[in-house]
Amino acid sequence: MSEKQKTEKDWKTCLLPEEYRILREKGTELPFTGKYVHNNKKGMYVCAGCGSELFSSNAKFESGTGWPSFWEAVGKNVLTKEDNSHGMQRTEVLCKKCGGHLGHLFDDGPSPTGQRFCINSLALKFKEKKDE
Ligand code: FE
């Protein structure tokens, strides 16, 4: 079954409850609670829902916000969408492959892009790349 065909019941079965709350219900983890906030290892962050490669450790930076932050996404593997919920105008970031909610995109990031992808650790799985 492809990720796009999965029902919410299917997602509930294959995700942990806390992952489901973020990816499928657009929740946000509390700042500084995610396991990847201070992860400085080299590797690839993939979608916790479908495994699609989303962010490289090369684009990770210390934003001070309490969420893993990146200045660019991998290729065209994420989608962005206008989000006017909670009385704010924000840009939502979603996994292109499975439609899972990842976090939000802001324009106050570092060079070279000036972008700040503010992403929930629970929406990600880290694949460490060992240097040979
Ligand atoms: Fe995904």
Side-chain angles (χ1 to χ4, degrees):
M1 185 188 328
S2 90
E3 280 77 16
K4 292 270 187 203
Q5 292 171 307
K6 276 189 178 152
T7 65
E8 290 311 305
K9 201 176 159 193
D10 296 326
W11 283 116
K12 233 169 208 169
T13 316
C14 68
L15 294 174
L16 296 170
E18 58 269 32
E19 293 171 344
Y20 183 88
R21 194 177 68 79
I22 307 290
L23 287 163
R24 309 309 309 176
E25 298 185 322
K26 304 188 190 299
T28 301
E29 69 196 12
L30 292 171
F32 299 104
T33 62
K35 61 179 169 181
Y36 299 135
V37 178
H38 298 302
N39 181 28
N40 293 318
K41 290 177 181 157
K42 293 281 168 211
M44 182 62 67
Y45 294 86
V46 305
C47 178
C50 72
S52 181
E53 294 189 345
L54 300 176
F55 301 98
S56 164
S57 62
N58 294 330
K60 192 172 189 290
F61 69 100
E62 199 55 65
S63 66
T65 59
W67 290 280
S69 303
F70 306 87
W71 48 261
E72 87 178 342
V74 172
K76 304 235 181 309
N77 292 357
V78 304
L79 289 177
T80 57
K81 197 177 148 192
E82 198 179 312
D83 172 13
N84 295 316
S85 67
H86 305 289
M88 291 178 272
Q89 286 191 337
R90 294 182 296 175
T91 303
E92 181 185 6
V93 181
L94 301 133
C95 173
K96 187 178 180 184
K97 192 172 165 196
C98 73
H101 172 84
L102 305 172
H104 289 90
L105 173 62
F106 303 90
D107 61 7
D108 58 4
S111 62
T113 62
Q115 294 189 312
R116 173 168 62 93
F117 290 86
C118 188
I119 305 300
N120 291 285
S121 293
L122 282 166
L124 301 172
K125 296 266 189 251
F126 181 66
K127 307 266 188 215
E128 187 173 359
K129 183 181 171 221
K130 302 259 196 241
D131 287 327
E132 53 279 339

